[in-house]
Amino acid sequence: MFRLIVLSLLLLAPLAKAQLVIEITQGVDDPTPVAVVPFAWDGGGNAPVDMAQVVQEDFERSGQFSPVNRADMLGFPSREEEVFYRDWRAIASEYVLIGRASAEGDQLSLRYELYDVLRQTRISEGVLAGPASEARMLAHRVSDAVYEKLTGIPGAFATRLIYVSVTRNPTGKDYYRLTLADSDGARPIVLLESREPIMSPSWAPDGKQVAYVSFETGRPAIFRQVLATGEREQLTNFRGLNSSPAWSPDGNSMAMVLSKDGSPDIYLMDMASRRLTRVTRHYAIDTEPSWMPDGRSFLFTSDRGGRPQIYRYDLRSGLTERVTFEGNYNARARVAQDGRNVVLVHQREGEFQIAIHDLVSNRLQVLTNTDLDESPSIAPNGSMVLYATKFGDRGILSAVSVDGGVKFRLPARSGDVREPAWSPYMQF
C-alpha cells in the first residue's frame, strides 16, 4: 500500500512529523563574528518569516561564522545612515548585515547590505524578490550571497534535500516516506508514503524532478516524479534488480542498475524514447553509477576485483579503469561539480566512514569518525557532504565539510532518516 501526496511547493503546508533538527557539533577554531540585524518590515502586519534569523542560523550551521547575539546589539539599523561602526566595534563584530523587506500582494522584496566594520565601508548589497511563500528561500539566498562575498565560495543554503524517513507504528510495521525539505531541514513535505521500502532518491539536474526506487509493486521498480504537480511515472518493471537511478548532467538520459539479463549491470535509459542501452557487461556486480560533471563518463562500484571498489567507465571509448586502491572497500561514490573530488564510503578497521578521494592526486582522506556511515551526497558548491549514520539506536543525517573541520547532525523529531540527496541549485 502506498499513498502519493500531490503537491504544490508554493501552497502545501509542511508536515512537522518529518522535521529535521540542526545540532552543530564542530566548527572552525576561530569563526568570523558577524552581526545579522533583524530586518525591517514595510509590508504591514507581521513579516511571514524572521528572515534575519534564517540567515543567522545559516551562518551558524556553516561553522565558519559566529553570529552576534541580538541581545548584545546596541542598535538595529536598517539603512546605511543608521550604521554606527563604533557600536559594532564595541561588541567585536567584524561585519554587519542589515536588511529591509516589503510586500506587494503575494510578492516579497528584500534589500540587504553588508558592511565591513574594520574598514567602515559597505562591501556588498542586493535586492531579491519572490513569492511570499518562499520568504525562507529569499533569506537563504541572502546567506548565499554574503557567504560567497566573505569566503569566495558560492553558498548552498538556497537548496533542498530529499531523504527517506522511516517510522514504526505500534504494531511494529514500518512506514516509509520520501520527504523534501530545505537545506536546513525546514518545511518538510512528504512526496510519497508507503508501507514498502523507498530507496535511492536522485535529483534531476534542473531540480524539478526526482527519481527513486519503490517496492510498492512487490519488487523494486524505478519511478520518476515531478515535484510541482506530483505527476509520477514508473520507468522500469523488470524481474530482479531495478536500482540506483542517476540522471545525466544534461538530463537526457538516466543511468540505472538492472539484472534482467543476468548479473547486475549498468544501463542507460534515453529519457525521451525510454530506450535502454546496456553499458557494462561483467559477471561481477556493477552498481551505484555517479556521473562526472561533463557527462562523458561515470563512476560506479564493482566487486570485479574481488572487493567493492570504484571504477570509471568512459562512454566514448568504452574503457573501464579502476579509481580507488586504498583499503579493501570503497563504494557509493558521488562526484563534486569540480569533477575532481569524489565522496564515498570507505571501510577502515572494520568501520564504514565517509571519505573524500582526489581524482588528480589519488589522495584519500577520511572525514568522519563514526562507524556506520553511508549514502554520501555532496552540496552543489562542493563544500559539505551530507550522509546517513547512526546516533544511539536511531538513523540520522549528518554533515561534514570537505576538509573535516565543520560537522553537524540533522536528526528527525521522530523515526529514522536515511538515503539523503542534496539538490542542484534551484529557482523558486
Side-chain angles (χ1 to χ4, degrees):
M1 176 181 176
F2 76 97
R3 182 158 62 102
L4 173 65
I5 309 205
V6 179
L7 60 100
S8 166
L9 294 183
L10 300 181
L11 299 177
L12 189 63
L15 301 178
K17 60 188 174 184
Q19 180 82 43
L20 300 178
V21 183
I22 300 290
E23 299 176 358
I24 301 169
T25 60
Q26 179 177 311
V28 297
D29 292 336
D30 190 21
T32 302
V34 178
V36 183
V37 180
F39 296 164
W41 173 247
D42 295 332
N46 296 320
V49 172
D50 186 341
M51 290 181 279
Q53 182 67 29
V54 174
V55 174
Q56 178 170 318
E57 291 171 357
D58 285 342
F59 288 168
E60 288 176 338
R61 193 167 74 258
S62 77
Q64 300 181 52
F65 300 100
S66 176
V68 173
N69 192 308
R70 288 183 179 182
D72 295 330
M73 295 181 184
L74 303 179
F76 299 99
S78 62
R79 292 184 172 88
E80 183 173 14
E81 59 268 23
E82 298 170 347
V83 177
F84 300 111
Y85 293 104
R86 64 178 182 274
D87 292 346
W88 305 104
R89 287 197 301 270
I91 59 174
S93 180
E94 294 185 18
Y95 299 95
V96 179
L97 177 67
I98 66 173
R100 179 173 291 273
S102 61
E104 184 173 342
D106 63 352
Q107 295 292 302
L108 280 182
S109 177
L110 173 60
R111 178 180 180 84
Y112 68 90
E113 299 173 24
L114 178 66
Y115 294 88
D116 185 318
V117 174
L118 299 180
R119 292 192 291 166
Q120 301 189 44
T121 185
R122 183 174 60 199
I123 59 174
S124 182
E125 62 180 319
V127 178
L128 300 172
S133 59
E134 292 293 332
R136 286 187 62 88
M137 195 59 73
L138 276 178
H140 288 314
R141 293 193 185 281
V142 172
S143 301
D144 285 346
V146 174
Y147 182 87
E148 182 171 12
K149 180 65 180 180
L150 297 182
T151 69
I153 302 170
F157 303 109
T159 53
R160 289 191 165 105
L161 314 175
I162 48 175
Y163 56 89
V164 177
S165 61
V166 186
T167 55
R168 180 162 293 180
N169 67 14
T171 66
K173 180 65 177 178
D174 287 337
Y175 280 82
Y176 298 81
R177 296 179 178 91
L178 182 66
T179 304
L180 170 74
D182 291 353
S183 66
D184 57 0
R187 302 194 303 167
I189 297 171
V190 176
L191 303 177
L192 179 71
E193 186 175 64
S194 176
R195 292 180 181 175
E196 304 301 328
I198 302 169
M199 303 172 60
S200 304
S202 173
W203 286 91
D206 62 3
K208 296 179 180 180
Q209 301 180 72
V210 296
Y212 50 86
V213 175
S214 173
F215 284 69
E216 68 200 52
T217 64
R219 61 188 181 196
I222 297 173
F223 290 79
R224 58 168 281 277
Q225 184 168 333
V226 179
L227 293 179
T229 65
E231 175 195 346
R232 196 164 174 263
E233 178 187 6
Q234 184 173 340
L235 298 177
T236 67
N237 191 32
F238 301 110
R239 294 177 64 88
L241 288 178
N242 298 256
S243 66
S244 300
W247 255 288
S248 63
D250 61 9
N252 292 332
S253 61
M254 181 184 291
M256 59 185 64
V257 177
L258 306 173
S259 63
K260 67 185 186 67
D261 297 318
S263 61
D265 277 300
I266 297 172
Y267 292 71
L268 297 185
M269 175 178 284
D270 182 277
M271 297 305 291
S273 67
R274 301 297 189 262
R275 182 174 60 88
L276 279 171
T277 302
R278 186 175 179 178
V279 178
T280 66
R281 296 176 180 270
H282 203 278
Y283 60 83
I285 297 174
D286 293 342
T287 187
E288 300 173 343
S290 178
W291 290 87
M292 296 296 292
D294 61 9
R296 297 176 182 176
S297 61
F298 60 80
L299 303 184
F300 65 100
T301 305
S302 179
D303 63 353
R304 59 182 61 193
R307 299 283 296 177
Q309 295 290 344
I310 306 301
Y311 293 78
R312 182 172 183 169
Y313 180 89
D314 187 281
L315 290 168
R316 291 184 176 181
S317 67
L319 296 177
T320 298
E321 63 175 338
R322 182 169 165 177
V323 172
T324 55
F325 293 89
E326 184 173 337
N328 59 11
Y329 182 101
N330 292 286
R332 196 65 182 265
R334 293 295 181 264
V335 187
Q337 282 299 307
D338 62 8
R340 174 170 180 166
N341 288 317
V342 178
V343 294
L344 47 82
V345 179
H346 174 75
Q347 186 183 35
R348 183 175 64 174
E349 298 178 353
E351 297 181 341
F352 294 91
Q353 299 168 327
I354 303 303
I356 187 166
H357 177 79
D358 188 316
L359 291 175
V360 176
S361 68
N362 287 321
R363 178 176 175 266
L364 186 142
Q365 177 189 357
V366 175
L367 301 177
T368 62
N369 55 12
T370 38
D371 58 1
L372 287 172
D373 304 334
E374 59 184 13
S375 304
S377 180
I378 194 162
N381 66 355
S383 66
M384 299 290 295
V385 181
L386 189 67
Y387 60 97
T389 188
K390 287 285 187 179
F391 185 66
D393 60 353
R394 294 180 57 198
I396 68 167
L397 303 185
S398 286
V400 60
S401 59
V402 294
D403 62 2
V406 177
K407 297 178 181 178
F408 58 88
R409 292 191 292 259
L410 298 90
R413 296 190 187 278
S414 63
D416 293 348
V417 283
R418 59 187 68 164
E419 301 266 358
W422 211 315
S423 80
Y425 287 114
M426 306 174 71
Q427 300 299 317
F428 291 130

